[in-house]
Each structure stands twice: as structure tokens, then as C-alpha cells.
Amino acid sequence: MELIYNSTRNKEEKVTASQAILRGLAPDGGLYVPAFIPALDRDMKEFAGMTYQETAYEVMKLFLTDFTEEELKDCIAKAYDEKFDTKEIAPLVEKGGVYYLELFHGATIAFKDMALSILPHLMTTAAKKNHAEHEIVILTATSGDTGKAALAGFADVPGTRIIVFYPKDGVSPVQEKQMVTQKGDNTFVVGIRGNFDDAQTGVKKMFGDRKLGEELAKGGFQFSSANSINIGRLVPQIVYYVYACAKLLASSAVAEGEKINVTVPTGNFGNILAAYYAKNMGAPIGKLICASNENKVLYDFFRTGVYDRNREFILTSSPSMDILISSNLERLLYRISGEDDKKDAGLMEALASGGRYAISEEMKGELADFYGNFATMEETAKEISDVYRESGYILDTHTAVASAVYKKYVRETGDAAAKTIIASTASPYKFSRSVLTAIDKKYESMDDFALADELSALSGTKIPPAIEEIRTAPVLHRTVVRTDEMEQAVKGFLGI
Ligand SMILES: *Cc1c(COP(=O)(O)O)cnc(C)c1O
């Protein structure tokens, strides 16, 4: 049966999975959502015996129903190969009674690789299926990790160009160096004078600009997105939750049917939404624990039912979560409103005009699966230090936010018996300064590359190629623009 996708803001807008991936965002500014969430058609015991690639096929086939088996398997084989430094692709590591799901074994050592390794293949397959006439221009805003993962995925992919906007002063030195050294004739990297929300708002505006769309078409181009607003980002992220639950069953860490809590360090709400979809498909997931840093707009939302972005934007030690407009929350609102597109459009209108909306008591009642909390920078540093001293395991700052919030959850609810998966979203090598100074102040005076060596010695792990590469790589991208110059920059790159 074909699964149709519609816009969260208009149910009449109906497209196939491949069309939704090609477009990225619906014409009305809404996000594409499946008409229903399909149920897993294998039981967890069967999943327990599967490889990552087999799991990926069994999960993704349920969402991407207009892809043939051959097409989908081909995309999966090209994505989850030796780019990952472990055959397991997403290993589970048990430390101190919790299971860290390491999602950073891909080419750019952050969890964005899990979806962005496959998105270019899904996109080019979708373009072929739909006889797309125009070259695809991937327009992306990044809080630090999506940018590099998308660049790595789309570099030199025929029929595509990629333009990445990042907050010039809002990413880690390693994140910036990774992006501005990107090779490939079809890649463009631009720093903006603003924060991630400014970058994301600018990108969404260009998507919705009809006149710009026409100019693009005349030049032989069409936009798509590599951000988690693209359903092609979200679907591959569901896979590792099913995979992790199955691995816990395979190792007898849980009994059949036993519910597992999932804790996710959250920014744009894409990763945790994938866990929510996995739960709704039938994966044995209990609570969805949403962990924020000091930009705790989601924590406030889960406590009060009011989403309010009118607050100071704080630059933290977990920059990939420095976000006040969590785009994917729109997909959750759509679900908990009983798939009410008018309601959703109204809330999003209120967010765009006043920066704030309140949900009804009825909708709030549908949020029982979620628990929200946050960790300050100080608490995050302490968590890195505590976990290191207890187990020798070194967390990156984002994962440490989740780990600290998980402990708050246990203290607040007393729910210590349930097993927990913590999504480990980045390698500590990406944030070595924050990570090491959390462990010992003596690292403060060292330069970034000396820090990588120290981290290697301390953790007993090899410096990943992603870090080795940028030690000597030349800077190839130097453009920096104001937020009102983003469109001009795009036109300049495309020569239109
Ligand atoms: C993107 C990112 C997050 C946040 O994920 P969302 O899907 O945007 O909620 C957390 N940690 C790291 C390291 C990231 O790169």
C-alpha cells in the first residue's frame, strides 16, 4: 500500500515519499508528514538477528513505499559502508548502567551522518523517479554538524549543488574548520552574522519565496533541503532506535516486551521525533526524555504547554543544540492535535508573528510519553568529569547534557528500573576543548590540535580521520554575509 505524505499545514497537499524528499519543505511552509505511522511488520526477535543494513531496509521500506526494493537496498548499501569505522554502524556501549548509543562513527563524527550518508542517494533516486528536469540545490542551515555531514554527502554528487549557512560565531573551531575546508566544485559554505535560528529562518524564507523559485527554475535549478525538516532525514533516524532496542533484546539486557527509555540531546527536535515515530511503530520504547541545554525552550514547553522563543539566545558548550525554534516540533503538534492541519497552521502563524503559542489542555494530555529537562553548562561539565572518573568513558558535551538530564529524570520520577538508551550524538573529538577542560583545567592553555592528542591519550582511542584531515587542509570557503544578504549569496553561487 502506498504511503502518502501531506503538509502539516494543509492536508490537501499530497505527495509520494520521493516527491516529499525532493521538495524538502511543502509549498505552504509546512513539513511533510506520513498520512499514518506504519507498524513494524517484523517482531523484535527477528530484528535482534539483523545487521544495521537489514534493519534499515525493514524500517525504511514502510515509509518510502514508492522506492523499489532494489533502489532502497542500493541506497542503503552505498550509505552504510566503510565510511563508518565499525561494522555495527551504531554500537551500544554500556557504562554505569546506561546504554550509550554511539551515533558518531560516520565520516564527520556526529550523528548527522546517520541520515546524511543516505540522503544524497535517496535524493538522486527520487530525482530520477520523478524525472526532475532541474539541478537540485540543497539549501541548508546548520548549528554546526548538519553542515559538514551534508557537504560530505553531497560533494561531487552529479546533478546537485549544496549551499550551507552557519552562524559565524556560533560553532566550535573544529566544526568550522571541517566545513570551510570542504572540497568539491558543487559545494558552497557561508558564515552568517547571526545565530542558527537566523540561518534557519533565512533558508525557510527562500524556500517559500515564489519569485525566487521562478528565477531558479529559469536558471535550471530547484531547491531541496538537507535539514531535518526533510522527511528523508527523519526516516533513516528511526532505524537506529529499532536497531538498539533489538540489540538489547539480543544481548538479554531486556526481556521481550520490556520497555526501554530513550534520552536524546535535543535541538531541532528531529532525533527525538524519530524515537517517537519508532515507538509509534511498535518498538518497545517507554519514556522519551528530551534533554536541552540552557536554551531550554522545550523544557518550558513540556512543563507549561507554552512555547515561547522570546528569550535570550545563549551560546553554550553544546552549540549544535543552541536553537530556539525547534522545527520538528511542528510534526509532533500535528500528531497530538489529531492531525488538525488548520490548528497546526494557526500555531505556526502565532510563532512566526509573536514568537509564541500555547497548546490546549487536550493536546498537552497527549504529551505523556515525553519528559523534558535541561542541564546548565556547569552541570554538563560536571557530568563529563563524573562519568570519566567513574568509568573512564569520555562523553562529548551534547551527550553529557543528555546524561545529566537522565539523572535528573531518575531523581525526579524514581524510575530507575527501566533500561535507558542515551543517544550519543557526537565524538568528543569534535568538542575537545570543552570536554577536556571539564576534566582538568590544565588543558585550558593548549591549542586545539594538542588537545586532540591529549584526548587520544586519555581515552585510549585513535584520533579519527575526520580530525586528522583538517589539521593541514587548506581553507577553501571564506564568504561571510549578513542575514539580509543570504539570497544574494545564493544567486551569486548559482550565477542567476
Ligand atoms: C544536531 C545535533 C543535536 C540535536 O539534534 P536535533 O535532531 O536537532 O534535535 C544534538 N547533538 C549533536 C551533536 C548534534 O549535531
Side-chain angles (χ1 to χ4, degrees):
M1 191 173 57
E2 177 123 280
L3 184 54
I4 291 296
Y5 289 75
N6 59 265
S7 164
T8 46
R9 301 185 196 176
N10 177 10
K11 271 191 175 168
E12 297 312 311
E13 161 76 13
K14 290 188 177 118
V15 297
T16 62
S18 66
Q19 287 165 341
I21 289 170
L22 263 186
R23 292 188 192 177
L25 200 64
D28 52 42
L31 274 54
Y32 284 114
V33 280
F36 60 90
I37 296 182
L40 294 170
D41 60 2
R42 310 257 177 207
D43 65 31
M44 292 311 288
K45 268 205 201 129
E46 287 176 89
F47 279 116
M50 288 185 202
T51 63
Y52 193 86
Q53 292 82 353
E54 287 162 351
T55 311
Y57 175 69
E58 292 301 327
V59 172
M60 291 176 65
K61 73 171 192 199
L62 301 170
F63 282 96
L64 309 183
T65 54
D66 70 329
F67 285 67
T68 66
E69 176 173 350
E70 193 190 345
E71 285 168 342
L72 198 49
K73 285 189 169 165
D74 182 53
C75 290
I76 290 167
K78 284 177 176 153
Y80 304 111
D81 60 6
E82 296 75 41
K83 288 192 287 299
F84 287 77
D85 66 10
T86 161
K87 270 210 163 61
E88 292 171 277
I89 307 295
L92 269 176
V93 175
E94 194 265 333
K95 293 285 170 196
V98 301
Y99 295 86
Y100 292 97
L101 176 59
E102 294 189 347
L103 302 173
F104 55 77
H105 288 272
T108 75
I109 60 175
F111 99 93
K112 304 299 197 291
D113 288 324
M114 301 305 297
L116 284 163
S117 304
I118 194 164
L119 185 66
H121 303 294
L122 296 176
M123 188 89 69
T124 47
T125 306
K128 259 186 238 139
K129 296 180 85 65
N130 290 284
H131 312 289
E133 318 154 15
H134 299 314
E135 194 170 338
I136 299 165
V137 179
I138 305 293
L139 212 52
T140 297
T142 183
S143 58
D145 290 328
T146 290
K148 180 62 186 187
L151 287 162
F154 281 98
D156 293 324
V157 172
T160 71
R161 298 193 194 191
I162 172 159
I163 305 173
V164 169
F165 292 97
Y166 74 95
K168 176 70 187 148
D169 300 317
V171 300
S172 84
V174 171
Q175 288 177 317
E176 180 171 38
K177 191 87 195 283
Q178 277 188 304
M179 288 189 276
V180 297
T181 56
Q182 177 65 46
K183 293 187 205 134
D185 290 340
N186 66 336
T187 66
F188 304 92
V189 180
V190 188
I192 65 150
R193 303 266 174 231
N195 60 37
F196 170 74
D197 288 329
D198 298 324
Q200 179 163 251
T201 302
V203 163
K204 277 190 170 176
K205 209 160 97 196
M206 284 189 264
F207 268 104
D209 186 335
R210 219 159 263 176
K211 191 169 145 279
L212 179 61
E214 283 165 17
E215 288 174 61
L216 275 177
K218 250 191 252 150
F221 300 107
Q222 72 183 77
F223 282 144
S224 188
S225 169
N227 284 105
S228 53
I229 52 176
N230 193 319
I231 195 76
R233 266 283 296 278
L234 213 55
V235 170
Q237 292 179 182
I238 301 169
V239 174
Y240 47 77
Y241 290 110
V242 175
Y243 180 73
C245 289
K247 290 298 162 233
L248 284 183
L249 181 63
S251 68
S252 303
V254 295
E256 218 182 331
E258 186 178 334
K259 295 272 196 285
I260 302 157
N261 293 335
V262 171
T263 309
V264 186
T266 297
N268 224 3
F269 210 75
N271 201 1
I272 195 165
L273 186 75
Y276 174 77
Y277 276 21
K279 179 179 166 94
N280 282 278
M281 294 177 83
I285 292 173
K287 281 281 178 196
L288 299 155
I289 301 168
C290 176
S292 301
N293 64 23
E294 277 148 322
N295 295 293
K296 58 182 184 56
V297 65
L298 288 166
Y299 162 77
D300 293 335
F301 171 71
F302 284 118
R303 298 279 152 142
T304 64
V306 175
Y307 193 95
D308 190 352
R309 59 154 300 201
N310 299 308
R311 62 181 75 202
E312 193 193 344
F313 186 101
I314 302 168
L315 293 174
T316 73
S317 55
S318 46
S320 304
M321 295 156 64
D322 290 345
I323 293 177
L324 292 178
I325 306 173
S326 295
S327 286
N328 275 291
L329 194 62
E330 181 170 351
R331 288 188 166 112
L332 179 66
L333 294 174
Y334 180 73
R335 282 282 292 183
I336 64 170
S337 67
E339 318 211 320
D340 184 339
D341 52 351
K342 302 285 175 304
K343 176 95 208 167
D344 187 88
L347 293 175
M348 290 305 116
E349 180 57 43
L351 182 64
S353 58
R356 169 180 199 285
Y357 60 79
I359 61 170
S360 64
E361 278 307 311
E362 207 180 347
M363 281 172 77
K364 208 173 158 221
E366 297 292 317
L367 292 175
D369 289 340
F370 288 90
Y371 168 91
N373 214 325
F374 71 101
T376 63
M377 279 192 261
E378 208 181 326
E379 290 168 331
T380 304
K382 183 170 181 303
E383 183 67 13
I384 292 170
S385 167
D386 286 354
V387 171
Y388 172 67
R389 292 201 159 77
E390 280 156 25
S391 66
Y393 189 59
I394 301 185
L395 304 176
D396 96 282
T397 45
H398 303 74
T399 310
V401 167
S403 194
V405 163
Y406 173 65
K407 287 177 186 164
K408 289 189 182 185
Y409 166 78
V410 172
R411 276 201 298 276
E412 191 176 321
T413 64
D415 178 18
K419 298 283 188 303
T420 289
I421 291 168
I422 294 180
S424 183
T425 50
S427 158
Y429 284 95
K430 235 174 159 165
F431 306 94
S432 46
R433 179 167 303 281
S434 301
V435 166
L436 283 172
T437 53
I439 292 172
D440 194 325
K441 293 277 174 260
K442 75 176 182 195
Y443 296 111
E444 264 165 13
S445 58
M446 294 186 189
D447 76 64
D448 284 333
F449 290 118
L451 289 174
D453 293 325
E454 293 290 332
L455 188 52
S456 175
L458 208 60
S459 62
T461 57
K462 252 181 68 191
I463 299 178
I467 298 293
E468 289 291 2
E469 269 164 26
I470 57 169
R471 284 193 189 218
T472 51
V475 172
L476 301 172
H477 305 268
R478 297 181 188 279
T479 310
V480 179
V481 303
R482 293 192 314 264
T483 48
D484 61 353
E485 296 169 327
M486 289 168 66
E487 182 178 327
Q488 236 177 310
V490 168
K491 286 184 175 171
F493 291 140
L494 300 178
I496 60 169

